Amino acid sequence: MMLHLFSTSIRGRKAYKDSEGILYLECTSCNAIKTEYSFLKEKHGFLGRRYNCCDCKSEQNRQYRMKEATA
């Protein structure tokens, strides 16, 4: 699969498209390139998506809950 650079944000986050037109975004937490559907929608985010993927967001929430439970 060949990805071509589609857009770059002001802060340097990159978006790619493949030959079928599917959009891929780069996660700022894990630096993985995933489809746009792996990112939650966000009104003011780059291309309308959150900066980190659902997996990283879940891990972030889990860490927060663990910290709150021990406090």
Side-chain angles (χ1 to χ4, degrees), residues 16-47:
Y16 303 92
K17 276 195 174 182
D18 64 3
S19 58
E20 297 172 1
I22 299 172
L23 184 65
Y24 294 86
L25 296 170
E26 183 178 32
C27 177
T28 58
S29 298
C30 65
N31 295 323
I33 297 174
K34 300 180 178 185
T35 62
E36 69 174 317
Y37 302 112
S38 297
F39 297 85
L40 296 173
K41 289 183 178 181
E42 187 169 275
K43 184 176 181 179
H44 299 290
F46 176 56
L47 300 176

